[in-house]
Amino acid sequence: MRLERDQWKRESNQLFDAMFRQNTAPKLLIEVDSGQIIDANESALSFYGYSRSAIERLNIRDINPLDDAALRRELQLAQREERRFFRFQHRLANGELRDVEVYSSPMTRHGCQLLHSIIHDVTERTRAEAELAAQKAEYRDLIEQHPHFVVRYLPDTTILFINAPLSKLTGKHQDALVGKRWGDLLPAEQQDAIREHLADFSDQTPIRAFENQVTDSQGKTRWVHWTSRAFCDENGTPREFQSVGIDITERRMLEQEHRRLSEIIEATPDLISMADTEARPFYYNPAGKKLIGHQLASSSPDEHIVFHQLADIWQHLRENAIPEALRNGYWQGEGKIRNALGEEIPVQQTLIAHRNAQGETTHFSTIMHDLTQHKALEAEHRLMAVAFHTGQGVMIVNRQQIIERVNDAFTSITGYTLQAAVGQSPQLLQSDQHDATFYQRVQFTLSVSGYWEGEYWYRHQNGETLPLWQSISTLTNGQGEIEHYIYVFHDIRKQKILEEELKHLAEHDRLTGICNRTRLYRLQEQAINDLERYDTPFSLIMLDIDCFKDINDEYGHDVGDSVLKALTDVIIRQLRDSDEVGRWGGDEFMLLAGHTHLDGAIKLAERVRASIEATSFDDVGSVTVSLGVVEFHRGMTLAESGKAVDEALYRAKRRGRNRVESLPGDT
């Protein structure tokens, strides 16, 4: 048995030696306790540039620039097999440092504890990764500095990226908008138009423009001109879109004021150009070619002409803008450039100095916006900068349903501090506004799609219930298992109050507070339904103040408004629970007498007339009214009933005013 073991060891050692020596990857054997290099294969000798005798005199500290304590810790991790993969820099014989990945495993050889290390040179890959990261940072920097709106989205308008100016316009944080469909943020009447617009894109027509209205963070409507580009797959089907928008609200308003709406000026996309550190241009976009070339001879301008003009522009920037950009990272200002025809074009310019990881300037980029139209209008045209930022509450929950992290906005909204929330279950925030079925639906949606969004009621730390708009996203691991839930929400109490106020304003008269014509129409439609279904009668009374124009002319409109409000109070005191009154317009009022035939409506009208006549109104004294009454019959339309009651009213006026009249034959 001993002979067999010895034979097995010899064969095993021979096999290891063969694999160690002949492997194309650099390999080292390192004594664990001392760090001494015991052996190296030919690939290692070639990589490090040492002879065998020289490398075997080295300690691992001679090629690894880590300090002794750190290097010792790494050796111990490898020895205990707590880690097998390491990333270091190794010094070659010529002093060059190379980025390497090292795979180490412990072994025993001739009774000595060694580390068997395989070295892979990843220097070029590391450099490529750094260059890619710089390019991505450069692109994002350029887009974020862009003065116009930029958004990237899927065919269903799900937002992938949105820049700061557009986020600022909407009043919502960029993170809160990414993942939402921007089409859903538009009014319903615009959504079909947007879908039709996107459906017309193809690889043959990848660029199109359109204009639409956008509601800003203050609830105001802004007009935006969009230039959109489709990015298509190999079948020519759009897979993503990118749109650049220009706020043209002031331009539209000014054109309306001057009655010059015969032609809407299309927004011109900006010139974007890049140059090296000597201000020599090496890139310009199609918009720059159009702006500088100025459509020479109605054809595409020669590339040489465009580059010649760009070179002059960059030399001007080199003298007047680049010094400040080198100091501050960027420069902004207004200036003038010349196109290929020698014409001066006023532009708004942004110049950016791009730097690498070492802080060295690598190149410059500029964005130039044509101000020709703006200069012609700027005496009456000012852009409004909307600076409204909503803080979004954020809560991160692990798969065990334990809160791990919250942000300051979370505390501001819920009242719970970080110390009070972390370590607790999200049930800490649950209110009695939702039942078990609601929470089950949320969990089911998350398990299927990984995302849920909607109205959610939380319980504040003080016990108050809060309406929130919340989205929940899931984060999964490589096996598709949920590891975390990301809750993002904001307080919508003011929004709900505003919704109620807007609903009230939409249906009520601002001066008197009673129903307006819109609500009266809806009430009449309901009364017609009741008449058709249950044979419930109703009548209409139209009331008009006699000689109201004389009151306004003699006492002023403020007094006239006071009379209208006081008269409204007199009318309301005469109404029954089944009656409604609304302001029809000006000094006209409409009464809907529910459950009432014509004779009852005439009595109600006479009671109203007499009460008004008996009232002394401030400043003006006595006021009289004329009233027309009709009963609504089956088969009548709203228009017919309105015309009939109007005729009855003017019958009262023709017959002397301060009286109630119905139409002959109306029973």
Side-chain angles (χ1 to χ4, degrees):
M1 291 293 291
R2 181 175 181 180
L3 291 175
E4 291 178 356
R5 283 199 302 272
D6 292 344
Q7 177 66 23
W8 179 84
K9 287 183 179 179
R10 284 194 298 273
E11 292 177 354
S12 178
N13 287 335
Q14 291 171 357
L15 179 60
F16 175 80
D17 286 341
M19 294 177 62
F20 182 81
R21 301 291 177 200
Q22 298 171 13
N23 201 296
T24 58
K27 289 189 174 186
L28 298 175
L29 290 181
I30 303 167
E31 206 276 323
V32 174
D33 292 331
S34 66
Q36 184 66 36
I37 298 175
I38 303 302
D39 200 355
N41 67 356
E42 292 299 325
S43 297
L45 299 180
S46 175
F47 174 65
Y48 289 104
Y50 289 102
S51 65
R52 180 170 299 283
S53 59
I55 203 168
E56 291 179 356
R57 290 195 300 271
L58 298 178
N59 191 287
I60 191 63
R61 295 176 179 81
D62 297 322
I63 64 174
N64 192 319
L66 283 178
D67 61 69
D68 288 350
L71 185 56
R72 187 63 201 160
R73 286 195 298 271
E74 299 297 292
L75 289 171
Q76 291 173 354
L77 288 174
Q79 180 188 14
R80 294 193 298 267
E81 297 189 73
E82 294 180 13
R83 201 195 316 163
R84 293 178 178 272
F85 170 75
F86 303 85
R87 293 198 73 166
F88 297 124
Q89 284 191 318
H90 276 185
R91 185 181 294 108
L92 307 186
N94 62 7
E96 180 185 357
L97 287 174
R98 304 289 291 183
D99 296 316
V100 297
E101 292 179 349
V102 180
Y103 299 83
S104 292
S105 58
M107 64 176 293
T108 302
R109 190 164 176 81
H110 306 304
C112 183
Q113 295 296 317
L114 304 177
L115 287 179
H116 174 220
S117 296
I118 305 172
I119 295 89
H120 295 288
D121 184 1
V122 295
T123 304
E124 298 307 320
R125 189 183 75 191
T126 303
R127 290 175 181 169
E129 290 172 349
E131 290 175 1
L132 179 60
Q135 291 173 1
K136 289 182 178 179
E138 172 189 319
Y139 174 77
R140 191 172 189 89
D141 188 24
L142 186 63
I143 294 301
E144 286 295 343
Q145 292 288 344
H146 202 291
H148 299 320
F149 311 134
V150 180
V151 60
R152 197 175 181 97
Y153 49 94
L154 297 175
D156 66 351
T157 73
T158 297
I159 297 172
L160 303 175
F161 168 81
I162 185 170
N163 74 339
L166 186 51
S167 170
K168 188 177 181 181
L169 177 75
T170 64
K172 297 181 180 179
H173 194 273
Q174 291 161 280
D175 294 340
L177 292 169
V178 172
K180 293 185 178 180
R181 293 192 299 185
W182 71 268
D184 294 343
L185 305 177
L186 299 174
E189 61 270 16
Q190 292 191 36
Q191 294 180 14
D192 289 341
I194 295 298
R195 281 192 289 267
E196 292 176 3
H197 173 75
L198 295 180
D200 289 338
F201 281 88
S202 69
D203 56 350
Q204 300 299 315
T205 56
I207 299 176
R208 303 187 73 238
F210 72 98
E211 294 179 2
N212 73 326
Q213 292 175 293
V214 177
T215 302
D216 67 15
S217 59
Q218 295 184 342
K220 296 182 179 179
T221 299
R222 312 291 297 178
W223 276 97
V224 179
H225 177 94
W226 298 95
T227 300
S228 302
R229 179 179 178 84
F231 298 89
C232 301
D233 59 21
E234 61 275 8
N235 298 319
T237 302
R239 55 181 176 80
E240 287 184 14
F241 295 92
Q242 179 164 298
S243 296
V244 177
I246 302 175
D247 189 335
I248 58 170
T249 306
E250 286 73 17
R251 189 193 78 190
R252 276 182 165 254
M253 291 172 61
L254 194 58
E255 288 172 347
Q256 290 174 355
E257 291 173 5
H258 290 273
R259 302 184 183 277
R260 287 187 277 131
L261 291 174
S262 60
E263 180 180 5
I264 298 175
I265 303 173
E266 289 190 358
T268 304
D270 296 339
L271 178 155
I272 299 175
S273 179
M274 297 182 185
D276 62 19
T277 54
E278 298 299 320
R280 293 174 299 208
F282 60 82
Y283 169 80
Y284 62 88
N285 65 344
K289 184 176 183 179
K290 180 179 179 181
L291 182 64
I292 296 172
H294 198 64
Q295 298 179 335
L296 286 173
S298 302
S299 63
S300 178
D302 185 87
E303 300 286 343
H304 175 74
I305 296 176
V306 175
F307 260 108
H308 178 75
Q309 294 299 124
L310 270 176
D312 290 344
I313 292 170
W314 275 103
Q315 287 307 309
H316 179 79
L317 291 173
R318 184 179 188 179
E319 298 170 3
N320 298 280
I322 286 180
E324 182 176 335
L326 289 173
R327 290 192 300 271
N328 303 327
Y330 73 97
W331 170 87
Q332 286 184 322
E334 290 188 12
K336 294 180 179 180
I337 64 174
R338 290 187 181 275
N339 62 22
L341 297 178
E343 300 169 337
E344 286 190 338
I345 303 172
V347 292
Q348 172 70 40
Q349 297 171 287
T350 299
L351 178 70
I352 304 167
H354 298 277
R355 295 184 171 91
N356 58 21
Q358 291 73 41
E360 302 166 333
T361 301
T362 58
H363 63 285
F364 300 96
S365 64
T366 185
I367 306 169
M368 299 186 185
H369 173 57
D370 186 351
L371 293 178
T372 303
Q373 295 294 334
H374 178 79
K375 288 294 182 181
L377 302 173
E378 69 179 358
E380 304 176 56
H381 181 217
R382 294 289 182 269
L383 292 175
M384 291 180 59
V386 180
F388 182 73
H389 178 72
T390 56
Q392 300 286 316
V394 178
M395 176 173 66
I396 301 177
V397 178
N398 63 22
R399 66 185 353 173
Q400 288 78 33
Q401 291 297 304
I402 299 300
I403 300 172
E404 290 188 351
R405 293 186 64 184
V406 298
N407 67 348
D408 291 341
F410 171 95
T411 299
S412 299
I413 295 172
T414 69
Y416 287 97
T417 63
L418 181 146
Q419 294 78 7
V422 171
Q424 302 293 321
S425 166
Q427 293 180 354
L428 173 74
L429 302 168
Q430 285 186 3
S431 68
D432 57 3
Q433 297 293 315
H434 305 299
D435 56 19
T437 302
F438 172 83
Y439 295 113
Q440 290 169 2
R441 286 200 304 268
V442 172
Q443 287 300 321
F444 175 76
T445 301
L446 288 172
S447 66
V448 172
S449 66
Y451 182 81
W452 179 90
E453 181 179 10
E455 189 174 303
Y456 211 108
W457 287 76
Y458 273 175
R459 184 178 65 249
H460 193 275
Q461 190 268 342
N462 63 13
E464 179 187 359
T465 54
L466 302 173
L468 306 173
W469 190 262
Q470 176 167 268
S471 65
I472 308 174
S473 304
T474 60
L475 294 179
T476 58
N477 57 23
Q479 290 72 45
E481 301 167 333
I482 295 176
E483 289 193 337
H484 287 90
Y485 299 85
I486 311 299
Y487 293 66
V488 180
F489 53 85
H490 62 273
D491 191 339
I492 59 172
R493 282 178 293 183
K494 291 182 179 179
Q495 177 182 330
K496 283 190 165 291
I497 293 172
L498 180 60
E499 288 173 355
E500 290 300 320
E501 291 176 351
L502 291 176
K503 182 179 179 181
H504 180 82
L505 290 174
E507 295 185 341
H508 292 80
D509 178 56
R510 291 178 181 270
L511 177 64
T512 62
I514 61 177
C515 300
N516 61 14
R517 184 178 296 206
T518 299
R519 180 165 176 78
L520 283 171
Y521 274 134
R522 188 152 51 249
L523 292 173
Q524 290 180 47
E525 289 172 349
Q526 182 60 49
I528 293 172
N529 289 335
D530 292 344
L531 174 64
E532 296 293 337
R533 296 182 63 183
Y534 310 114
D535 204 27
T536 304
F538 75 95
S539 298
L540 299 177
I541 303 171
M542 179 74 82
L543 175 156
D544 182 273
I545 302 175
D546 296 330
C547 303
F548 184 68
K549 183 177 182 301
D550 295 342
I551 294 175
N552 278 333
D553 291 344
E554 182 175 352
Y555 299 101
H557 288 278
D558 289 343
V559 172
D561 289 347
S562 297
V563 170
L564 290 173
K565 290 190 284 187
L567 183 139
T568 299
D569 294 337
V570 174
I571 295 173
I572 290 174
R573 287 196 293 270
Q574 304 304 318
L575 300 184
R576 306 161 298 177
D577 291 342
S578 60
D579 302 329
E580 285 285 354
V581 62
R583 187 177 177 193
W584 197 249
D587 61 333
E588 288 186 333
F589 293 79
M590 175 77 81
L591 282 71
L592 192 156
H595 301 270
T596 304
H597 289 291
L598 179 64
D599 55 349
I602 291 174
K603 292 177 182 178
L604 173 60
E606 180 58 37
R607 191 163 65 246
V608 169
R609 186 204 64 76
S611 298
I612 293 172
E613 184 180 25
T615 300
S616 177
F617 292 86
D618 291 344
D619 297 318
V620 300
S622 177
V623 171
T624 63
V625 295
S626 300
L627 303 96
V629 185
V630 298
E631 180 177 352
F632 195 97
H633 299 289
R634 289 178 182 272
M636 291 181 73
T637 65
L638 283 177
E640 291 170 344
S641 64
K643 182 179 179 181
V645 74
D646 196 55
E647 290 177 358
L649 169 63
Y650 282 95
R651 178 182 173 89
K653 285 187 172 293
R654 287 192 303 270
R655 301 187 70 177
R657 297 190 178 91
N658 191 24
R659 59 189 296 116
V660 177
E661 290 288 342
S662 61
L663 295 178
D666 188 10
T667 57

